[in-house]
Amino acid sequence: MKVYLKKESIEKHKTGCMVVGVFEGKKPEGLAKIIDKRLNGLVSKLFKDKDFEGKPNQTRLIYTQGRIPAERVLLVGLGKEKEFKIEKMRQASGNSSKAVRDLGLKKFSTVLAQIKIKKVPDYEISKAVTEGAILSLYDFTNYRTEKREEIKRVDEIALLIEKESKEIKKGLDDGFKISEAVYIARDMINHPANTATPTYLSEQAKRIARKSGIKCKVLDRADMERLKMGALLAVARGSDEPPKFIIMEYNGGKKGERPVLIVGKGLTFDSGGISIKPSEKMEEMKHDMAGGAAAICAIKAAADLKLPVNVVSLIPATENMPSGKADKPGDVVKAMSGKTIEVISTDAEGRMILADALTYGERYKPKAVVDLATLTGACIIALGYHATGLLGNDKDLIEAIKRAGEKSGERVWELPLWEEYEEQNKSDIADVKNVGGRGGGTITAAAFLKKFAGKFKWAHLDIAGTVWEYNGKPYVPKGAVGVGVRLLVEYLKSQG
Ligand code: BES
Ligand code: MN
Ligand code: ZN
């Protein structure tokens, strides 16, 4: 898809469809007012009849019948100007882009990027417009072989502007690069587990690294044995797919500056292992590597945006399968850190593989550690599908991530990580057990990780509820969300 700037007045611009943003109110203002005049008051009439009032995400198609060179105008509501938030722009851009695509048009133009809002930089507006448009038009059709010619696809979007602007250009460029990274994450997650194996993930990581100037190294089972990654190896034991440990390093900051460490759960299929899951909805467990996908794609975006920070991403990747060789409930394994873990449930595998990744990460002496994982079903019970769970041991880091959540629209909500919760993970025979009972499952999982996050400033994101979109949102189609990529990019930006 191509997205580009076009300097031309909306009254002169020729296109199949022009998207015009309209604030909610009594009558059309701004650009909508210009269009209204040229269309003999048609927009005013729509307002008066309450057929279109500029409510958030409302759209309305108009045929211009030669009154302006644009053949059609698609009005899209932005809500009340006073209540404007950048997320509204992302959504309006998404909804209008989808409406144009559904008309079957291959190209369109939008004036959304030239809208001015007090106290909101032009850069943020054009970035939001670009992200909303591209992200909303994502589709995953790799496995469809029938009627492919019926798939509707937009391949060119022009952002109309009044005058040249470096800020608007940069917003477009950054928005484009970030969206590309989210596309790759969504693809990885949407691919079924018979494609997206640990080996596949590691090869994708290498390919991405090569293209974006990132260092990449992949450890295999023998390396893990040498490093004594007993927790990760225990999870991998039941599967015939070889596990991989992916290491990516981007050095955009000062030489020698301590990096931000990102750790992503790369569980390519979670059957539960011997503690096998019910078969209903088990197919969803192909998305259990979404934390890993976010870790790979966020570092890619950081490199493509040339952010002035040092970043390391670590992705322990494996399947969790039952077999004669699999780990069993009651087994005790020794993690890389030397701590012993009693395996109460082989289905609590995410914290096991993250434990060894966190220990491996110690060698980087990171200035902050952020891990992402589809870690607990309990997080869906606690927060539902609209917030990522956030826990950690450092107030400033937690606040920085909350701000990044608001800015990116990938919202997070903090849960307490009080010492009392650690009691629940005490084992009778080992240093810790991998399940802490029924109460507060998201918190006890985080309390387990805390034992391995060492003395570093560390935050944990439980994305179990936000990884998958079941209904379709303005700029998130059904399927993998790619959650975490934009959140992390925003966080890394704040560190530069
Ligand atoms: N990958 C799952 C968590 C999950 C469940 C993510 C549903 C997304 C949707 C994780 O490995 C798991 O199985 N967790 C168990 C932990 C339990 C055994 C303590 C869970 O949540 O049931
Ligand atoms: Mn599990
Ligand atoms: Zn899992």
Side-chain angles (χ1 to χ4, degrees):
M1 193 186 311
K2 189 177 147 197
V3 185
Y4 61 99
L5 292 183
K6 172 98 188 149
K7 200 184 118 215
E8 195 165 42
S9 110
I10 60 171
E11 295 176 84
K12 298 218 175 93
H13 184 61
K14 201 168 145 48
T15 172
C17 187
M18 183 158 67
V19 171
V20 176
V22 186
F23 284 108
E24 190 176 341
K26 294 207 176 57
K27 54 184 196 326
E29 302 283 357
L31 295 167
K33 198 168 164 180
I34 303 176
I35 298 288
D36 187 43
K37 261 196 197 140
R38 294 290 302 262
L39 299 184
N40 291 347
L42 178 54
V43 187
S44 294
K45 172 92 172 115
L46 288 169
F47 265 70
K48 227 185 5 274
D49 296 349
K50 296 201 177 342
D51 283 334
F52 177 87
E53 301 165 278
K55 290 207 183 335
N57 294 325
Q58 210 181 4
T59 57
R60 180 83 201 196
L61 186 69
I62 299 174
Y63 284 82
T64 61
Q65 299 187 299
R67 293 198 172 93
I68 52 174
E71 273 176 65
R72 304 171 187 80
V73 164
L74 184 82
L75 303 175
V76 62
L78 297 170
K80 297 202 174 78
E81 194 169 354
K82 270 198 192 130
E83 291 166 15
F84 182 83
K85 273 196 179 144
I86 202 71
E87 176 66 5
K88 292 229 170 92
M89 191 55 96
R90 243 179 248 120
Q91 294 192 4
S93 182
N95 262 13
S96 51
S97 300
K98 284 188 294 183
V100 179
R101 177 201 53 202
D102 295 344
L103 289 171
L105 300 181
K106 297 233 161 291
K107 296 178 186 180
F108 71 94
S109 302
T110 174
V111 307
L112 289 174
Q114 59 174 281
I115 287 177
K116 306 275 178 225
I117 316 260
K118 252 186 245 153
K119 290 192 191 145
V120 185
D122 290 351
Y123 166 83
E124 296 293 343
I125 303 264
S126 92
K127 175 167 163 283
V129 171
T130 308
E131 285 179 354
I134 301 179
L135 294 177
S136 71
L137 296 174
Y138 173 86
D139 60 1
F140 187 72
T141 55
N142 297 41
Y143 295 88
R144 274 178 57 182
T145 65
E146 292 173 5
K147 299 187 182 159
R148 289 191 66 87
E149 63 289 349
E150 286 175 18
I151 300 170
K152 291 174 178 165
R153 229 174 244 140
V154 169
D155 37 48
E156 258 186 61
I157 306 173
L159 307 189
L160 280 191
I161 46 168
E162 276 177 326
K163 51 176 194 282
E164 303 289 343
S165 154
K166 278 200 184 123
E167 266 204 69
I168 294 180
K169 175 80 175 84
K170 176 100 168 90
L172 188 164
D173 287 346
D174 286 5
F176 193 92
K177 287 170 185 160
I178 293 166
S179 303
E180 258 188 322
V182 176
Y183 265 47
I184 296 176
R186 286 181 181 173
D187 278 353
M188 284 180 180
I189 302 161
N190 281 326
H191 271 301
N194 60 337
T195 297
T197 59
T199 304
Y200 175 90
L201 280 195
S202 67
E203 273 159 11
Q204 290 298 309
K206 281 192 211 153
R207 182 184 64 84
I208 290 165
R210 217 178 303 122
K211 278 176 99 176
S212 295
I214 298 168
K215 275 193 227 158
C216 182
K217 198 164 92 178
V218 177
L219 307 182
D220 54 26
R221 197 192 299 265
D223 300 309
M224 296 173 206
E225 277 163 3
R226 194 170 39 77
L227 287 161
K228 301 197 165 61
M229 291 180 160
L232 170 55
L233 285 165
V235 174
R237 195 137 52 219
S239 169
D240 288 340
E241 286 292 338
K244 302 285 171 186
F245 190 90
I246 304 166
I247 304 163
M248 300 172 87
E249 300 175 17
Y250 161 66
N251 292 113
K254 289 193 200 81
K255 214 176 144 95
E257 194 175 275
R258 293 160 75 194
V260 171
L261 180 66
I262 304 171
V263 179
K265 173 178 174 182
L267 214 296
T268 59
F269 188 73
D270 183 10
S271 70
I274 295 296
S275 314
I276 197 160
K277 288 181 180 293
S279 53
E280 198 180 333
K281 299 275 165 72
M282 200 202 270
E283 72 279 7
E284 292 184 355
M285 283 301 125
K286 68 173 184 179
H287 73 213
D288 213 16
M289 35 57 74
I296 294 171
C297 296
I299 198 170
K300 171 191 160 53
D304 292 348
L305 296 179
K306 300 195 167 59
L307 296 184
V309 280
N310 295 334
V311 188
V312 176
S313 282
L314 300 178
I315 302 95
T318 177
E319 283 185 341
N320 184 23
M321 297 290 275
S323 88
K325 281 187 274 172
D327 65 329
K328 307 169 290 297
D331 284 2
V332 175
V333 301
K334 197 178 204 125
M336 183 182 176
S337 73
K339 288 194 200 315
T340 53
I341 305 170
E342 183 185 7
V343 178
I344 300 299
S345 169
T346 64
D347 198 11
E349 83 299 336
R351 63 198 78 182
M352 308 273 292
I353 69 172
L354 291 173
D356 281 346
L358 288 165
T359 302
Y360 185 89
E362 284 174 6
R363 67 190 58 204
Y364 294 101
K365 299 191 170 43
K367 65 174 179 186
V369 182
V370 182
D371 81 73
L372 300 94
T374 42
L375 204 61
T376 63
C379 194
I380 310 179
I381 305 300
L383 298 174
Y385 300 97
H386 304 293
T388 291
L390 168 64
L391 305 98
N393 62 9
D394 184 78
K395 202 164 181 330
D396 291 342
L397 175 59
I398 283 177
E399 290 308 317
I401 290 181
K402 283 182 185 169
R403 282 194 297 275
E406 283 305 316
K407 250 193 132 173
S408 62
E410 296 196 323
R411 290 178 295 179
V412 299
W413 198 259
E414 190 184 356
L415 298 172
L417 189 50
W418 300 320
E419 265 170 28
E420 284 85 339
Y421 290 100
E422 289 165 32
E423 290 295 312
Q424 285 172 245
N425 291 336
K426 287 214 165 123
S427 159
D428 289 336
I429 64 164
D431 296 333
V432 68
K433 57 183 181 182
N434 76 340
V435 176
R438 273 182 61 80
T442 303
I443 303 174
T444 52
F448 179 97
L449 294 178
K450 190 176 161 198
K451 258 186 122 60
F452 296 90
K455 293 181 184 62
F456 299 118
K457 294 178 180 175
W458 155 79
H460 160 62
L461 294 163
D462 194 327
I463 55 172
T466 45
V467 60
W468 198 257
E469 175 54 46
Y470 290 91
N471 306 304
K473 282 185 181 161
Y475 60 90
V476 187
K478 275 189 196 179
V481 174
V483 70
V485 178
R486 291 183 310 109
L487 173 71
L488 285 171
V489 169
E490 211 52 72
Y491 165 69
L492 292 172
K493 261 190 183 177
S494 74
Q495 297 305 294

